[in-house]
Amino acid sequence: MRRSVVLLRAFLREQDDPARCYAVLARDAADQVEAYGGPVRGRTVVDVGGGGGYVTAELRRRGAYAYLFEPDVRELGAEPPEGAVLADGYLLPLADGVADVCFSSNVLEHVADPQILLSELVRVTRPGGLIYVSFTNWLSPWGGHEWSPWHYLGAERARARYRRRTGRPAKHTLGENLFAVHIGPTLRQVRERDDVTVVTARSRYAPFLARTVVKVPVLREFATWNLLLILRRCPA
């Protein structure tokens, strides 16, 4: 419960103090990676779509050889991590199986074809390696991102309301840089793959019943908030 409260407080300050918010989320994400895959010290971690590099920086602080790949130069910020690479997650400039851990947080809902991105994450992960994927599902209360929860009334109406309230256009547009990704279809597609096994599928931030709620159709689409998938690459 304490963890969830800390994350919620940080999340509520995202607009006012994004650096602090993302630093808190990065520490929590790194903790989750190590909980499922062991210490990252000395291991190669690929952070795909990591924006300003907060997770990359946290993983490096813990001794990992962490590398950031981000497709949007605007997301890198003024001081991106050393060695950051501008690259599309659909086609990473990496050889097969180079990463011990492949990390992607809140990227899946921003690509038109999530399965292509997942396939690329799997490709660059070594056999036996860990793949960390989280995303905000569309029917989550935060599915519309900055114009949530009004996305339940329709994306265009929600975006118009955001502009009236803030005086500026919304960052995200449905069908352009934000897509309606759902938990049920995503789980089915992942479980049908023969190159990964599902270590866990759970609500990323929930303090309790985090795995149970994901097992309940319909309810999970609204109650999960953010789905965390931990996958393991199958042996070659």
Side-chain angles (χ1 to χ4, degrees), residues 2-231:
R2 181 179 178 276
R3 166 184 173 265
S4 293
V5 170
V6 169
L7 291 173
L8 178 60
R9 286 176 175 170
F11 187 70
L12 292 175
R13 297 295 304 275
E14 179 187 13
Q15 298 298 317
D16 300 330
D17 191 359
R20 180 179 181 278
C21 171
Y22 296 138
V24 170
L25 293 178
R27 287 195 296 272
D28 184 74
D31 286 344
Q32 289 181 318
V33 169
E34 294 194 321
Y36 288 101
V40 296
R41 178 170 295 278
R43 303 172 76 189
T44 299
V45 185
V46 172
D47 180 6
V48 179
Y54 292 94
V55 171
T56 297
E58 177 62 24
L59 292 169
R60 288 178 179 177
R61 189 184 68 79
R62 299 183 187 210
Y65 300 107
Y67 303 94
L68 173 64
F69 294 83
E70 167 59 46
D72 189 344
V73 67
R74 295 169 297 182
E75 294 293 332
L76 286 173
E79 297 182 8
E82 182 180 355
V85 178
L86 277 174
D88 193 325
Y90 280 171
L91 190 63
L92 294 169
L94 292 169
D96 297 353
V98 295
D100 296 302
V101 179
C102 198
F103 181 94
S104 180
S105 174
N106 294 325
V107 177
L108 217 62
E109 70 268 31
H110 297 294
V111 297
D113 193 331
Q115 291 305 307
I116 293 179
L117 176 62
L118 282 171
S119 292
E120 191 67 349
L121 301 182
V122 174
R123 181 188 69 79
V124 302
T125 305
R126 66 168 176 80
L130 205 70
I131 301 148
Y132 177 114
V133 179
S134 76
F135 68 92
T136 304
N137 47 297
W138 175 245
L139 292 177
S140 155
W142 196 245
H145 286 48
E146 73 272 23
W147 26 276
S148 298
W150 303 100
H151 64 295
Y152 289 132
L153 301 179
E156 289 308 312
R157 181 179 297 180
R159 293 183 75 253
R161 182 186 182 278
Y162 179 87
R163 182 155 195 163
R164 289 195 305 271
R165 183 171 61 85
T166 65
R168 61 180 184 272
K171 176 181 178 180
H172 297 100
T173 301
L174 188 66
E176 293 183 10
N177 58 1
L178 180 64
F179 298 86
V181 182
H182 303 288
I183 292 174
T186 302
L187 287 176
R188 285 194 296 273
Q189 290 166 345
V190 169
R191 287 167 176 159
E192 288 171 355
R193 301 182 66 107
D194 60 6
D195 52 4
V196 295
T197 58
V198 180
V199 177
T200 192
R202 55 167 293 160
S203 174
R204 181 177 177 184
Y205 303 121
F208 51 85
L209 299 178
R211 294 180 181 86
T212 302
V213 71
V214 173
K215 298 177 181 178
V216 184
V218 182
L219 175 64
R220 63 191 174 197
E221 303 294 345
F222 296 90
T224 299
W225 280 71
N226 189 285
L227 181 70
L228 171 61
L229 284 173
I230 301 293
L231 311 175

